[in-house]
Amino acid sequence: MRDYAAAMARRVADAPPPLAKPVDEIPDGSLAALRRRARGCRRCPLWRDATQTVFGAGPGDAQVMLIGEQPGSQEDLEGRPFVGPAGRLLRDALAEAGLDADRLYLTNTVKHFKFEPRGKVRLHRRANAAEQTACRPWLAAELLRVRPALVVALGAMAAQTLFGHAFRLTAERGRWRALDARTQALATWHPSAILRMRAPQRDEARAQLVADLARAADRLRR
Ligand code: URA
């Protein structure tokens, strides 16, 4: 029986990560070990100007994983994902959707803040394709360790990392897709994109974010 359990655990660990493109050299070890190793990540130049690596946070056995784009200024300073203005919007939306934020695993596609200094402010810049590719092994490792039943991609960067470059958020938002035999995923608005919108689009997109998160809450109850 113990041999069977060990073989099953090996099969899960050996399974390819449910990402659109293959990832070589997926780091192994526990989530805590991955988090420690990611602190010293030099796979792309973003570490040079960032304060620290912002690795995923949440229970290692979470049933739901939320994947954002990249940390913002406040996340960079605090070292945790979604603690700034976008995080506040997200946490309010999660509460309205009936999901307990403390039971979710929150992470990002790219683990370092990218910015351009302008006087005293640090203007957010989007990580490019090479930086996203360089960071993919960390996301792959998180998906393989946590093995969530449900994944919610927040925004196009995370959605395309999961579903491929042809994915269009405006056309396919809120629809479940199988990532592999045990994982379902959907994509929805990124909270930062909602913050940049004006009313009435902003209110509509926020309502759609809550409705999509509620779809995840519904699935968990089944
Ligand atoms: N936006 C993201 O995508 N992730 C964060 O952690 C914060 C803002």
Side-chain angles (χ1 to χ4, degrees):
M1 191 64 194
R2 211 181 305 139
D3 289 349
Y4 176 76
M8 289 311 284
R10 236 185 348 263
R11 270 185 58 184
V12 168
D14 291 346
L19 296 177
K21 291 192 184 157
V23 181
D24 42 38
E25 281 189 73
I26 299 171
D28 58 9
S30 66
L31 268 183
L34 291 169
R35 188 172 289 115
R36 276 196 303 275
R37 281 174 66 188
R39 282 187 205 137
C41 183
R42 303 288 184 263
R43 294 178 57 91
C44 82
L46 292 186
W47 66 273
R48 287 179 209 275
D49 295 327
T51 308
Q52 58 193 314
T53 305
V54 180
F55 203 71
D61 60 353
Q63 285 182 279
V64 185
M65 180 183 286
L66 264 59
I67 307 175
E69 300 197 333
Q70 57 194 79
S73 180
Q74 208 160 323
E75 287 80 16
D76 170 72
L77 297 174
E78 292 189 31
R80 290 179 64 79
F82 290 104
V83 291
R88 279 193 289 282
L89 190 154
L90 178 63
R91 282 164 208 276
D92 288 349
L94 286 167
E96 281 175 46
L99 284 169
D100 179 352
D102 293 338
R103 299 184 66 181
L104 310 177
Y105 188 88
L106 289 176
T107 192
N108 281 302
T109 312
V110 170
K111 312 292 196 236
H112 278 116
F113 179 41
K114 180 173 180 178
F115 64 94
E116 191 182 303
R118 279 280 173 83
K120 283 190 187 159
V121 288
R122 305 189 296 171
L123 287 185
H124 170 95
R125 296 224 359 245
R126 192 175 201 270
N128 63 32
E131 291 152 354
Q132 292 176 40
T133 302
C135 222
R136 215 178 287 135
W138 296 117
L139 181 61
E142 289 175 296
L143 280 161
L144 290 177
R145 284 300 147 287
V146 179
R147 274 283 160 197
L150 305 178
V151 176
V152 177
L154 299 167
M157 185 191 289
Q160 292 183 346
T161 302
L162 295 178
F163 305 134
H165 274 274
F167 183 87
R168 291 290 168 270
L169 191 60
T170 41
E172 296 180 77
R173 203 212 84 246
R175 282 196 224 141
W176 290 110
R177 285 187 178 209
L179 279 188
D180 62 20
R182 45 188 287 172
T183 319
Q184 294 284 321
L186 65 69
T188 188
W189 294 109
H190 191 288
S192 300
I194 299 177
L195 288 175
R196 287 192 299 270
M197 293 175 189
R198 291 173 188 230
Q201 283 84 357
R202 181 178 177 152
D203 302 334
E204 196 186 325
R206 190 185 182 287
Q208 289 172 340
L209 170 67
V210 172
D212 293 339
L213 293 171
R215 287 193 174 98
D218 274 356
R219 273 213 171 213
L220 280 185
R221 279 186 222 109
R222 278 192 211 158

